């Protein structure tokens, strides 16, 4: 009698198959018998699959997974190599196999019938089944956002945190929609179309980030009734329609139906160069409106579009919403006033309250990232961003310049199932500067011999 196919499935599987000493976590042993190649005393065809797990699991070793009739044996060919075993080989004796792997008693009857038959092995072909690289499980804890859709509000160029977050989300598999400030929309879309951002669009796998759609957005206005006449007639807004928060949410719903991730990357203070004591009421309130309440408005209007979690399992965590804050919300940063520090403090407080309300109502997680200084176009408006970066490098526990990608990767983590229990949190991504109580580059510490790089 010929046993036509004796295949072992191992994940992963060694190049050289050892039937007795398999060091892998598990393997699948499959016997397939074809009627035409069996003796006349056998008129059946069966397949027996044996699943073995190592002693670290609760299973007791080699167990019978299934024994079922089949119509015909499968002829699966694998590239991992083949081995020829002789029927007289002691290595394949049922006794040794059973003792070596604590064979389940459910397999004993089959073993007895198999051993008592007069069938002889002329040749047994064993094909080691090794999965291709495309199907091998990825090691570690990968961030997988495939099938998710993200809306990032506040992307107007390719060197800010909003762009970096979009890239990281796209790199994890999410579909990207962006909202761009109306006066910057034309320049952004033109640069994107002409390939000026292509170098910045490169993802880890070598492909280019695709932005499915760019929406005009001015998050200072909730609905068309809030827009004053001077804005409506402003030539920088000419040609753009449906750009208030409510209208953008309605447009996204019409175009795509729903989103899973909402990112707020907006901040503006019209009196950005003034100290707080010289900031007017209108300038102060404008900073809060554009930098903090805009997040409340975005979440309010987009929440009905966000796919809710049906449970709090890791596999089903619902939607995620993120914003960006800065350490000036809780520490004094001279020169960072004019209502912006107040706006960031309000944003962090709102994050906690929104986490409760959105979590209870819609199972949406709400977090904010406190990012360190970045040499972006927007940050240059404060006038001393280079000094802040140098200060951070000199005084932070990690003496290096912060990368926008590090903030983007944190956003991808917070949006993923890996952060399924994180909400209402301020996550610091600043090389640890937030933990410092003093600036160690001060002359008063010169005799303490504090280790550090020289800059």
């Amino acid at each position: 009698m010929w046993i036509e196919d004796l295949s072992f499935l191992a994940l992963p599987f060694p190049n050289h198959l050892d039937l007795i000493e398999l060091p892998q976590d598990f393997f699948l042993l499959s016997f397939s018998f074809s009627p035409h190649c069996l003796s006349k005393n056998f008129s059946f065809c069966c397949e027996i699959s044996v699943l073995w797990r190592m002693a670290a699991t609760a299973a007791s070793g080699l167990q019978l997974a299934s024994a079922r009739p089949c119509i015909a044996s499968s002829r699966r060919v694998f590239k991992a190599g083949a081995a020829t075993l002789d029927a007289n080989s002691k290595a394949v004796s049922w006794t040794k196999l059973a003792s070596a792997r604590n064979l389940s008693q459910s397999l004993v009857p089959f073993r007895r019938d198999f051993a008592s038959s007069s069938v002889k092995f002329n040749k047994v072909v064993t094909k080691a089944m090794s999965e291709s690289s495309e199907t091998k499980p990825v090691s570690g804890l990968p961030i997988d956002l495939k099938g998710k859709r993200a809306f990032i509000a506040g992307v107007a160029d390719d060197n800010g945190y909003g762009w970096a977050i979009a890239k990281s989300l796209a790199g994890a598999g999410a579909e990207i929609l962006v909202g761009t400030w109306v006066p910057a929309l034309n320049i952004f879309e033109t640069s994107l179309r002409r390939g000026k951002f292509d170098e910045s669009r490169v993802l880890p796998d070598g492909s280019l980030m695709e932005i499915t759609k760019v929406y005009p957005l001015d998050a200072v206005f909730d609905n068309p009734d809030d827009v004053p006449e001077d804005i409506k007639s402003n030539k920088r807004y000419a040609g753009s329609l449906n750009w208030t928060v409510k209208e953008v949410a309605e447009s996204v719903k019409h175009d795509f139906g729903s989103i899973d991730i909402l990112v707020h990357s907006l901040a503006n203070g019209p009196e950005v160069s003034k100290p707080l004591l010289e900031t007017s009421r209108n300038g102060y309130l404008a900073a809060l409106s554009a930098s903090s309440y805009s997040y409340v408005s975005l979440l309010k209007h987009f929440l009905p579009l966000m796919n809710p979690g049906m449970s709090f399992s890791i596999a089903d965590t619902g939607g995620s919403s993120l914003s960006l804050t800065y350490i000036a919300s809780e520490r004094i940063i001279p020169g960072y006033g004019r209502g912006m520090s107040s706006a960031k403090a309000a944003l962090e407080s709102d994050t906690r309250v929104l986490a409760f309300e959105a979590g209870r109502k819609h199972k949406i997680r709400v977090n904010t990232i406190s990012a360190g200084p970045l040499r972006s176009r927007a940050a240059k408006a404060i006038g001393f961003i280079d000094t802040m970066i140098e200060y951070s490098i000199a005084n932070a526990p990690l003496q290096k310049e912060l990368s926008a990608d590090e903030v983007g990767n944190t956003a991808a983590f917070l949006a993923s199932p890996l952060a399924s229990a994180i909400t209402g949190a301020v996550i610091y991504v600043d090389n640890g500067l937030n933990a410092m109580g003093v600036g160690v580059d001060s002359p008063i510490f010169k005799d303490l011999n504090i280790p550090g790089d020289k800059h």
Side-chain angles (χ1 to χ4, degrees):
M1 183 189 81
W2 291 81
I3 295 183
E4 201 170 52
D5 187 0
L6 178 60
S7 302
F8 294 84
L9 175 63
L11 300 175
F13 208 80
N15 290 331
H16 300 288
L17 179 64
D18 185 343
L19 187 61
I20 299 303
E21 297 298 334
L22 287 174
Q24 309 303 322
D25 287 345
F26 61 87
F27 69 89
L28 183 67
L29 176 62
S30 173
F31 296 89
S32 296
F33 299 85
S34 292
H36 69 272
C37 62
L38 296 173
S39 67
K40 62 181 181 180
N41 295 325
F42 295 87
S43 60
F44 65 91
C45 175
C46 70
E47 177 176 327
I48 294 180
S49 299
V50 182
L51 179 67
W52 175 79
R53 291 190 181 277
M54 295 190 71
T57 66
S60 61
L62 192 61
Q63 298 178 357
L64 182 64
S66 64
R68 61 185 185 276
C70 67
I71 297 175
S73 64
S74 60
R75 293 174 176 269
R76 291 171 292 181
V77 180
F78 303 91
K79 296 181 179 180
T84 302
L85 302 177
D86 188 88
N88 296 323
S89 173
K90 295 181 180 178
V92 294
S93 66
W94 280 101
T95 302
K96 189 169 183 180
L97 179 59
S99 62
R101 290 294 178 237
N102 189 23
L103 191 62
S104 172
Q105 292 301 313
S106 62
L107 197 58
V108 172
F110 175 81
R111 180 209 63 180
R112 187 180 299 113
D113 294 341
F114 189 89
S116 62
S117 68
S118 58
V119 177
K120 294 183 178 181
F121 287 83
N122 289 324
K123 181 176 68 174
V124 178
V125 178
T126 303
K127 302 180 182 69
M129 296 169 58
S130 177
E131 290 204 340
S132 64
S133 59
E134 290 84 359
T135 59
K136 282 185 178 179
V138 180
S139 61
L141 294 172
I143 294 177
D144 185 2
L145 297 176
K146 294 181 180 66
K148 305 294 185 180
R149 182 178 297 117
F151 182 87
I152 300 100
V155 179
D157 54 47
D158 66 338
N159 73 343
Y161 284 136
W163 177 272
I165 291 172
K167 275 188 64 177
S168 292
L169 295 178
E175 182 181 10
I176 304 300
L177 313 175
V178 303
T180 300
W181 189 44
V182 182
L185 179 66
N186 185 54
I187 296 176
F188 178 71
E189 288 189 314
T190 301
S191 298
L192 191 63
R193 185 173 57 254
R194 293 180 177 178
K196 292 185 177 180
F197 298 152
D198 282 359
E199 185 176 350
S200 301
R201 290 170 58 202
V202 178
L203 299 176
D205 64 358
S207 63
L208 296 182
M209 175 182 66
E210 295 293 337
I211 297 177
T212 302
K213 189 164 184 176
V214 180
Y215 291 89
L217 171 67
D218 193 330
V220 170
F221 305 105
D222 297 328
N223 57 68
D225 294 336
D226 295 336
V227 183
E229 288 299 325
D230 62 326
I231 295 295
K232 291 180 180 179
S233 61
N234 191 311
K235 63 180 182 180
R236 296 194 299 172
Y237 286 77
S240 295
L241 301 172
N242 303 323
W243 42 260
T244 63
V245 176
K246 180 181 179 181
E247 291 173 305
V248 173
E250 291 173 345
S251 296
V252 172
K253 181 179 181 179
H254 176 269
D255 296 339
F256 300 96
S258 64
I259 65 170
D260 303 276
I261 302 164
L262 176 66
V263 178
H264 176 276
S265 181
L266 299 167
N268 185 37
E271 299 181 16
V272 65
S273 60
K274 294 182 179 180
L276 183 57
L277 281 174
E278 297 177 15
T279 301
S280 68
R281 182 183 297 271
N282 287 337
Y284 184 94
L285 295 177
L288 265 70
S289 175
S291 307
S292 56
Y293 184 78
S294 58
Y295 185 40
V296 177
S297 180
L298 277 168
L299 193 53
K300 172 185 176 181
H301 288 91
F302 275 86
L303 193 62
L305 279 68
M306 299 184 72
N307 291 315
M310 302 308 294
S311 67
F312 285 112
S313 66
I314 292 179
D316 182 12
T317 57
S320 174
S321 184
L322 306 166
S323 65
L324 291 168
T325 185
Y326 181 52
I327 192 65
S329 63
E330 53 186 289
R331 301 283 190 273
I332 299 170
I333 306 294
Y336 194 93
R338 72 247 169 231
M340 282 302 300
S341 57
S342 305
K344 292 301 184 183
L347 181 65
E348 293 181 16
S349 177
D350 292 342
T351 295
R352 291 183 282 272
V353 178
L354 292 172
F356 175 80
E357 295 182 359
R360 290 297 184 97
K361 182 178 180 180
H362 216 58
K363 292 185 173 64
I364 301 298
R365 295 180 293 111
V366 182
N367 295 291
T368 187
I369 297 174
S370 184
L374 177 72
R375 197 175 283 105
S376 64
R377 292 187 182 94
K380 290 179 181 178
I382 68 173
F384 60 98
I385 185 64
D386 292 336
T387 302
M388 290 303 300
I389 291 174
E390 288 300 317
Y391 175 87
S392 178
I393 294 174
N395 293 282
L398 299 178
Q399 290 190 274
K400 63 182 182 62
E401 186 167 346
L402 183 68
S403 167
D405 291 340
E406 293 173 305
V407 173
N409 292 339
T410 302
F413 160 73
L414 289 173
S416 77
L418 297 181
S420 60
I422 301 177
T423 192
V426 178
I427 306 297
Y428 296 96
V429 185
D430 60 358
N431 289 322
L433 187 62
N434 71 92
M436 299 301 298
V438 295
V440 296
D441 61 347
S442 172
I444 65 173
F445 295 113
K446 61 182 177 60
D447 295 329
L448 293 184
N449 195 27
I450 297 174
D453 298 331
K454 293 182 178 180
H455 299 275

